Amino acid sequence: MLSIDDIVAGGLCIGCGLCKSIAGAERIRMVMTPEGRERPVAVEPLSREVLATINAVCPGTQIEGADPKAIPDDAETDLIWGPVIPSTLTIAHASDPVVRHRGAAGGVLTALGQYLLRSGEVELVLHVKARPDAPVRSVATVSETPEAVLDAATSRYGPAAVFEDLESVLARGRPFAVIAKPCDIGAMRRMAEVDKRARELLRYGLTLACGGASDLIKSLDVLKRFHVVEKDVSLFRYRGYGNPGPTRVETTGGRSFELSYEDMWGNESGWRIQPRCKICPDAIGEAADVVSSDCWPGGAPEGEDDGFNAVFARTRAGVSLFERAVTSGALTVVRSIGIRDMDLFQPHQVRKKRAVWARLQGMREAGMVVPAVERLRIADLAATNEESENEREKHGAVTRARAGRLGEPPAVAVG
Ligand SMILES: Cc1cc2nc3c(=O)[nH]c(=O)nc-3n(C[C@H](O)[C@H](O)[C@H](O)COP(=O)(O)OP(=O)(O)OC[C@H]3O[C@@H](n4cnc5c(N)ncnc54)[C@H](O)[C@@H]3O)c2cc1C
Ligand code: SF4
Ligand code: SF4
């Protein structure tokens, strides 16, 4: 069994906050580290029972694919993309032009969250938004109205502890959906296995394809570039208001600055993604009901467009939601696509999924702890690689692990 410090030092923590919710705020505190990551610190000893629960659900220790019982017979399981229901594999967007414009891409996740509230199927949507008092940072939010879901639209690329106070959501006893990153949705599914309330109340897990969560430093560097100090920021939007839309900073003094998507994310080596993301066996949401991603051929936008997502459902619940959202007019489908189109839209996901097994071998060889990975086909995928590719990935991981680049310093707080 791993301690909280072991998980963090092993580079396995993504800062979801679930351990804090399980142990209680009096035992675990989330801190912002000097590296710009939200990390848990145990301020009181944890009982064996609490630590065992955390080890069973933490997305740093356990990573699992879809529950086979949730997958309908007409799903096809692709070696890269996992279970996908072909009839739902489409280019789509939110029908409401405001949602489409303000959403990260086509606003599909926001439209689905709003649809679920309007239909009464869920009463709460748990997701994240910019922190009102510090908009460079992100905070978990529980939306009870379609307007609130819209307020939290678009991507928050930096740290975002969506489950920091999951306990209070469960305590309300009301049906809910989670919109979050793939690792978060996986953790939520495991939580449903150990917590009866989560099992009964969680109705949907909706996710995005995820290139990795960046360190807060990435966002603070944007401020530096414009000579803005964080306390003066009144708005920090990574994208949206267009597809992709600019990264926009506004200050309380009325100044505003914009960076293009290309400037912000054009160079993959400058993404500053967290260590856990570099070995992520599921950045494509295999435990989710519906996945919504960007759909730029080659993986990068050539300019602005009206807003489109590549969308697919994986589960019975997901296909039913997708179909009802289309029929009710919440979503507009532009055209059907094939699964190889997803490779074209997400080349970095394909590269990572193929490399992960060898990277984990390398970490193991360097004496690091690795997460338990199940139902994600990473060994099968590695078997389709050239032996030399696997060796290169493994050797790279051994080298990075020995240089300390796959682990993290112990979590200490800064401001
Ligand atoms: C860290 C990160 C990495 C990404 N990498 C890729 C990628 O590699 N490929 C790709 O196609 N797309 C990626 N995206 C997703 C992309 O930016 C769009 O969010 C996605 O296409 C969904 O678009 P949408 O218009 O349906 O979303 P919207 O309708 O704008 O809805 C987004 C929803 O996601 C929630 N959310 C946003 N950020 C977070 C977060 N950090 N944690 C939890 N919930 C969050 C919001 O609360 C909102 O409900 C990434 C997003 C994030 C946050
Ligand atoms: S990944 Fe989440 S549950 Fe695991 S240690 Fe980090 S904050 Fe806690
Ligand atoms: S790459 Fe994986 S671990 Fe990192 S934020 Fe995305 S889903 Fe989570």
Side-chain angles (χ1 to χ4, degrees):
M1 194 153 59
L2 298 180
S3 70
I4 294 293
D5 285 349
D6 292 337
I7 298 171
V8 172
L12 303 178
C13 175
I14 190 59
C16 70
L18 189 51
C19 52
K20 175 181 167 188
S21 176
I22 291 167
E26 65 288 3
R27 291 193 193 81
I28 290 187
R29 216 156 49 92
M30 294 299 286
V31 301
M32 184 63 75
T33 70
E35 295 74 35
R37 299 165 190 156
E38 270 187 301
R39 294 292 180 256
V41 176
V43 288
E44 291 284 335
L46 305 179
S47 69
R48 260 195 93 70
E49 197 188 348
V50 165
L51 199 54
T53 305
I54 292 171
N55 272 254
V57 301
C58 166
T61 55
Q62 290 285 335
I63 309 166
E64 288 163 10
D67 173 0
K69 293 193 294 299
I71 307 300
D73 292 342
D74 58 344
E76 288 176 8
T77 298
D78 182 73
L79 206 47
I80 298 276
W81 291 95
V84 172
I85 297 160
S87 60
T88 64
L89 185 52
T90 52
I91 301 294
H93 59 80
S95 302
D96 180 336
V98 175
V99 175
R100 187 181 186 188
H101 184 61
R102 286 177 55 178
V108 162
L109 292 175
T110 300
L112 289 175
Q114 291 183 318
Y115 170 79
L116 285 171
L117 287 173
R118 286 197 178 107
S119 67
E121 265 191 88
V122 307
E123 294 177 27
L124 312 171
V125 174
L126 173 60
H127 51 156
V128 307
K129 66 176 184 182
R131 215 171 97 179
D133 61 333
V136 185
R137 300 169 193 238
S138 302
V139 67
T141 187
V142 180
S143 294
E144 299 186 51
T145 63
E147 295 72 30
V149 179
L150 179 60
D151 273 347
T154 198
S155 297
R156 301 294 305 171
Y157 288 101
V162 66
F163 296 134
E164 197 169 347
D165 198 14
L166 179 68
E167 177 55 34
S168 75
V169 178
L170 298 177
R172 290 168 76 171
R174 294 162 68 186
F176 69 100
V178 177
I179 307 178
K181 302 185 299 296
C183 51
D184 300 323
I185 300 296
M188 192 64 229
R189 296 290 188 210
R190 287 185 299 284
M191 189 65 186
E193 283 167 22
V194 303
D195 188 303
K196 186 166 174 279
R197 297 166 304 168
R199 193 156 53 247
E200 288 173 1
L201 299 171
L202 174 69
R203 297 293 149 84
Y204 295 94
L206 312 179
T207 199
L208 31 97
C210 180
S214 51
D215 297 338
L216 184 70
I217 307 286
K218 168 85 183 163
S219 314
L220 296 178
D221 281 349
V222 173
L223 300 190
K224 266 195 201 147
R225 192 160 162 174
F226 296 125
H227 308 288
V228 171
V229 290
E230 194 187 349
K231 72 173 178 41
D232 291 341
V233 175
S234 57
L235 177 137
F236 192 97
R237 191 168 62 226
Y238 289 89
R239 58 184 283 187
Y241 283 75
N243 184 33
T247 297
R248 183 173 171 89
V249 181
E250 292 177 9
T251 70
T252 46
R255 294 185 298 154
S256 62
F257 308 89
E258 289 190 348
L259 270 184
S260 70
Y261 186 90
E262 172 64 19
D263 267 347
M264 188 76 180
W265 305 109
N267 174 8
E268 194 169 333
S269 65
W271 286 3
R272 292 202 70 136
I273 65 169
Q274 304 188 23
R276 163 69 172 79
C277 303
K278 295 176 184 152
I279 52 134
C280 189
D282 178 24
I284 56 174
E286 296 209 24
D289 294 301
V290 178
V291 180
S292 169
S293 81
D294 290 317
C295 52
W296 302 305
E302 284 190 347
E304 289 290 322
D305 63 38
D306 292 339
F308 300 93
N309 291 105
V311 187
F312 56 86
R314 295 188 182 279
T315 61
R316 266 183 218 96
V319 71
S320 160
L321 168 60
F322 175 83
E323 286 172 355
R324 282 174 295 126
V326 172
T327 309
S328 73
L331 289 189
T332 298
V333 169
V334 179
R335 64 184 168 94
S336 294
I337 54 173
I339 196 66
R340 300 279 70 84
D341 290 314
M342 291 304 299
D343 297 351
L344 186 67
F345 302 149
Q346 306 287 328
H348 54 295
Q349 299 292 0
V350 176
R351 281 198 299 276
K352 183 150 74 176
K353 193 93 181 181
R354 300 185 80 98
V356 163
W357 182 83
R359 288 182 189 170
L360 294 178
Q361 297 299 316
M363 282 176 77
R364 225 179 251 125
E365 193 167 307
M368 292 186 76
V369 180
V370 299
V373 179
E374 282 176 42
R375 300 195 297 277
L376 289 167
R377 309 167 310 285
I378 56 171
D380 297 347
L381 266 166
T384 67
N385 294 340
E386 296 288 334
E387 191 61 28
S388 58
E389 281 175 69
N390 287 337
E391 272 307 312
R392 199 174 50 245
E393 287 294 345
K394 181 172 143 190
H395 180 71
V398 171
T399 308
R400 285 195 297 279
R402 289 195 175 136
R405 299 211 311 274
L406 289 179
E408 292 187 25
V412 291
V414 289

Short mmCIF file of all heavy atoms in Angstrom, two decimals, residues 8 29 31-35 37 39-41 409-414:
data_model
loop_
_atom_site.label_atom_id
_atom_site.label_comp_id
_atom_site.label_asym_id
_atom_site.label_seq_id
_atom_site.Cartn_x
_atom_site.Cartn_y
_atom_site.Cartn_z
N VAL A 8 2.76 10.86 -4.50
CA VAL A 8 3.22 12.16 -5.03
C VAL A 8 4.67 12.04 -5.51
O VAL A 8 5.00 12.39 -6.66
CB VAL A 8 3.08 13.27 -3.97
CG1 VAL A 8 3.73 14.56 -4.45
CG2 VAL A 8 1.59 13.51 -3.66
N ARG A 29 -4.63 18.06 3.18
CA ARG A 29 -4.77 19.40 2.64
C ARG A 29 -4.25 19.38 1.21
O ARG A 29 -3.26 18.70 0.92
CB ARG A 29 -3.88 20.34 3.48
CG ARG A 29 -4.45 21.72 3.69
CD ARG A 29 -3.88 22.38 4.95
NE ARG A 29 -2.44 22.34 5.07
CZ ARG A 29 -1.59 23.28 4.64
NH1 ARG A 29 -2.03 24.36 4.02
NH2 ARG A 29 -0.30 23.17 4.84
N VAL A 31 -2.28 21.44 -1.56
CA VAL A 31 -1.41 22.63 -1.60
C VAL A 31 -0.96 22.87 -3.04
O VAL A 31 -0.95 21.94 -3.86
CB VAL A 31 -0.17 22.47 -0.69
CG1 VAL A 31 -0.56 22.22 0.74
CG2 VAL A 31 0.76 21.35 -1.19
N MET A 32 -0.62 24.11 -3.35
CA MET A 32 0.00 24.42 -4.64
C MET A 32 1.51 24.37 -4.43
O MET A 32 2.04 25.07 -3.58
CB MET A 32 -0.44 25.80 -5.12
CG MET A 32 0.07 26.17 -6.49
SD MET A 32 -0.53 25.09 -7.82
CE MET A 32 -2.22 25.65 -8.00
N THR A 33 2.20 23.50 -5.18
CA THR A 33 3.64 23.32 -4.95
C THR A 33 4.44 24.35 -5.76
O THR A 33 3.91 24.98 -6.68
CB THR A 33 4.08 21.91 -5.40
OG1 THR A 33 3.99 21.85 -6.83
CG2 THR A 33 3.21 20.83 -4.78
N PRO A 34 5.73 24.48 -5.46
CA PRO A 34 6.56 25.43 -6.23
C PRO A 34 6.60 25.06 -7.72
O PRO A 34 6.84 25.93 -8.56
CB PRO A 34 7.96 25.27 -5.61
CG PRO A 34 7.72 24.68 -4.26
CD PRO A 34 6.48 23.86 -4.35
N GLU A 35 6.35 23.79 -8.05
CA GLU A 35 6.35 23.38 -9.47
C GLU A 35 5.04 23.77 -10.15
O GLU A 35 4.88 23.59 -11.36
CB GLU A 35 6.53 21.86 -9.60
CG GLU A 35 7.86 21.32 -9.11
CD GLU A 35 7.96 21.29 -7.59
OE1 GLU A 35 6.94 21.04 -6.92
OE2 GLU A 35 9.07 21.55 -7.07
N ARG A 37 1.83 22.62 -9.10
CA ARG A 37 0.92 21.47 -9.12
C ARG A 37 0.13 21.43 -7.82
O ARG A 37 0.71 21.67 -6.75
CB ARG A 37 1.73 20.17 -9.26
CG ARG A 37 2.51 20.15 -10.55
CD ARG A 37 3.57 19.07 -10.55
NE ARG A 37 4.43 19.27 -11.70
CZ ARG A 37 5.69 18.84 -11.80
NH1 ARG A 37 6.22 18.13 -10.84
NH2 ARG A 37 6.39 19.08 -12.89
N ARG A 39 -1.23 19.39 -4.96
CA ARG A 39 -0.87 18.08 -4.42
C ARG A 39 -1.39 17.92 -3.00
O ARG A 39 -1.47 18.89 -2.25
CB ARG A 39 0.66 17.91 -4.41
CG ARG A 39 1.29 17.86 -5.80
CD ARG A 39 0.89 16.59 -6.55
NE ARG A 39 1.47 16.52 -7.88
CZ ARG A 39 0.79 16.75 -9.02
NH1 ARG A 39 -0.48 17.06 -8.99
NH2 ARG A 39 1.39 16.64 -10.19
N PRO A 40 -1.72 16.67 -2.62
CA PRO A 40 -2.20 16.44 -1.26
C PRO A 40 -1.05 16.31 -0.27
O PRO A 40 0.00 15.77 -0.60
CB PRO A 40 -2.93 15.09 -1.40
CG PRO A 40 -2.21 14.39 -2.51
CD PRO A 40 -1.69 15.45 -3.44
N VAL A 41 -1.27 16.81 0.93
CA VAL A 41 -0.32 16.61 2.02
C VAL A 41 -1.12 16.08 3.21
O VAL A 41 -2.14 16.67 3.58
CB VAL A 41 0.35 17.96 2.42
CG1 VAL A 41 1.26 17.75 3.62
CG2 VAL A 41 1.13 18.53 1.25
N PRO A 409 9.32 16.22 -6.34
CA PRO A 409 9.77 16.50 -4.96
C PRO A 409 8.59 16.34 -4.00
O PRO A 409 7.43 16.43 -4.45
CB PRO A 409 10.20 17.98 -5.02
CG PRO A 409 10.08 18.41 -6.43
CD PRO A 409 9.30 17.40 -7.19
N PRO A 410 8.86 16.12 -2.71
CA PRO A 410 7.74 16.07 -1.76
C PRO A 410 6.92 17.35 -1.84
O PRO A 410 7.48 18.42 -2.10
CB PRO A 410 8.44 15.97 -0.40
CG PRO A 410 9.86 15.64 -0.67
CD PRO A 410 10.17 16.03 -2.08
N ALA A 411 5.60 17.23 -1.65
CA ALA A 411 4.73 18.40 -1.81
C ALA A 411 4.94 19.38 -0.67
O ALA A 411 4.82 19.02 0.50
CB ALA A 411 3.28 17.95 -1.86
N VAL A 412 5.29 20.60 -1.00
CA VAL A 412 5.28 21.70 -0.01
C VAL A 412 4.50 22.84 -0.62
O VAL A 412 4.45 23.00 -1.84
CB VAL A 412 6.71 22.19 0.35
CG1 VAL A 412 7.47 21.16 1.13
CG2 VAL A 412 7.48 22.61 -0.90
N ALA A 413 3.89 23.62 0.26
CA ALA A 413 2.99 24.67 -0.24
C ALA A 413 3.75 25.94 -0.60
O ALA A 413 4.73 26.28 0.03
CB ALA A 413 1.96 24.99 0.83
N VAL A 414 3.31 26.61 -1.65
CA VAL A 414 3.67 28.02 -1.85
C VAL A 414 2.35 28.78 -1.92
O VAL A 414 1.31 28.18 -2.18
CB VAL A 414 4.48 28.27 -3.15
CG1 VAL A 414 5.87 27.72 -3.05
CG2 VAL A 414 3.76 27.76 -4.39
#
